[in-house]
Amino acid sequence: MTVSPSKAAAAARERGSEAPADLLPEPMVSEQSSEALRQIAVSAGLAPMGVRPPLGQYLRDLWSRRAFLWELSSSKAYARNRNSYLGQAWSVLTPLLSAAVYIIIFGIVLNTTRGVENAIGFILVGTFMFRFFEHAVSGGGKAIRGNTSLVRAVRFPRAVLPISVVLSELVTLGPALVVMLVVTYLSGLGEFPKFAYVPVSWRWLLLPLAIMLLAFFNVGCAFIMARWVARAPDIQNLIGFVMRFVMYASGVIFSIDHYFKDHPGVGWVLQRQPVAVYLELTRACVLHEPTIPLTWQTWAWGVGWAALFAIGGFLYFWRGEERYGRD
């Protein structure tokens, strides 16, 4: 009976002895060079994991995932309040109730909105727009850490995740904007004689453009926070405290121009920081406040901040691409 080399080697291992060299199979040696194998992998569309692609290729990959980006964003927006009785109505009720609290406490009881003619509209617009910014920043911080399994399992441009956070918030903001405009208009009617009339104006048509600038700024912030929290998770715990400081420094519930009129230098700095710029821009589009004119300077600041953060934040995020999911 003839014994195959493989069986002879296995029997030898069971007896604790080494198999004779002539019974071992010949080692397999690839006939292809490493460069040839690399070319085969590239031609098949394969790419090494954990390597940052060139910027141009990264942008093309990101554009090719636009359908996935939209599905991810819309599903997040839909699933947010899916298990509650009122469902998606909470997307409108939450900022509306928050604004009502601020209006009652700061606008009526404490009367901190001196310098504006319609405190309801002033606080309402500020609350809705700041909530959009706040959720984009906090969601951006969770973009990588909150999707670690997806990041490690599937190869795709990680920039999809911060962008999807902002798009999800933008989808949610749509119905809330309608409620914001209606309540702002009603606040100036005869039922509230203390507050000035807010007319329906052609400037309302500029509101989507102002919100798009804010959205680009939010995307840049989400990129930065995503990389920071991916490297240092403790930063996520500080975001809430920083947001409270930014809220009061941006004039969400009071007029910066009025309260810092004796300190014009400080007031100018606070009014020109990005969040305050976008609050002023959206209020100028919606309200009819003499102290909040719609000027080209405000638009220029809005475009400048949006471009700086969107481009700078994207490049900063891209440079850390190979580290996401590995730290």
Side-chain angles (χ1 to χ4, degrees), residues 25 32 56 60 64 89 113 117 127 133 147 149 167 183 193 236 252 287 300 321:
Q32 300 285 349
R60 289 190 293 271
S64 66
T113 52
E117 295 185 351
T127 302
F133 162 73
N147 296 280
S149 59
L167 277 180
V183 176
Q236 186 71 44
V252 174
L287 305 177
E321 178 76 9

Side-chain angles (χ1 to χ4, degrees), residues 183-242:
V183 176
T184 301
Y185 172 75
L186 294 176
S187 67
L189 298 182
E191 296 297 328
F192 303 96
K194 181 180 178 180
F195 306 110
Y197 176 63
V198 179
V200 178
S201 171
W202 63 269
R203 293 188 298 183
W204 285 21
L205 299 176
L206 298 177
L207 182 60
L209 179 58
I211 292 175
M212 288 307 300
L213 291 177
L214 176 56
F216 278 105
F217 170 74
N218 288 350
V219 168
C221 293
F223 280 138
I224 295 172
M225 295 308 303
R227 182 172 177 181
W228 282 359
V229 175
R231 295 297 302 274
D234 291 345
I235 294 178
Q236 186 71 44
N237 298 324
L238 301 176
I239 292 178
F241 300 101
V242 175

Side-chain angles (χ1 to χ4, degrees), residues 53-245:
L55 182 59
Q57 181 62 44
Y58 191 77
L59 289 171
R60 289 190 293 271
D61 289 345
L62 185 60
W63 175 251
S64 66
R65 302 302 199 285
R66 59 189 181 275
F68 168 64
L69 174 60
W70 174 250
E71 288 297 328
L72 184 62
S73 306
S74 57
S75 62
K76 284 183 178 180
Y78 174 76
R80 181 167 301 166
N81 298 301
R82 184 177 54 185
N83 295 326
S84 60
Y85 286 110
L86 297 181
Q88 300 305 312
W90 283 111
S91 299
V92 176
L93 290 175
T94 300
L96 192 61
L97 292 174
S98 298
V101 172
Y102 292 134
I103 289 170
I104 294 173
I105 296 177
F106 296 99
I108 298 176
V109 177
L110 299 179
N111 193 24
T112 60
T113 52
R114 300 180 183 91
V116 297
E117 295 185 351
N118 191 311
I120 293 180
F122 185 88
I123 295 179
L124 196 67
V125 175
T127 302
F128 275 64
M129 294 300 102
F130 184 79
R131 183 176 182 271
F132 179 33
F133 162 73
E134 181 181 21
H135 282 209
V137 172
S138 60
K142 302 174 184 176
I144 300 298
R145 283 284 174 178
N147 296 280
T148 304
S149 59
L150 179 63
V151 170
R152 292 176 176 174
V154 183
R155 182 183 177 275
F156 64 96
R158 309 312 189 212
V160 165
L161 298 175
I163 296 175
S164 70
V165 169
V166 179
L167 277 180
S168 176
E169 294 299 329
L170 196 59
V171 170
T172 305
L173 183 65
L177 285 178
V178 177
V179 176
M180 182 190 77
L181 292 174
V182 171
V183 176
T184 301
Y185 172 75
L186 294 176
S187 67
L189 298 182
E191 296 297 328
F192 303 96
K194 181 180 178 180
F195 306 110
Y197 176 63
V198 179
V200 178
S201 171
W202 63 269
R203 293 188 298 183
W204 285 21
L205 299 176
L206 298 177
L207 182 60
L209 179 58
I211 292 175
M212 288 307 300
L213 291 177
L214 176 56
F216 278 105
F217 170 74
N218 288 350
V219 168
C221 293
F223 280 138
I224 295 172
M225 295 308 303
R227 182 172 177 181
W228 282 359
V229 175
R231 295 297 302 274
D234 291 345
I235 294 178
Q236 186 71 44
N237 298 324
L238 301 176
I239 292 178
F241 300 101
V242 175
M243 287 299 102
R244 297 285 75 75
F245 176 80

Side-chain angles (χ1 to χ4, degrees), residues 26-38 40:
E26 293 292 331
M28 297 182 63
V29 180
S30 174
E31 298 180 356
Q32 300 285 349
S33 65
S34 298
E35 179 61 25
L37 293 174
R38 190 187 70 83
I40 293 174

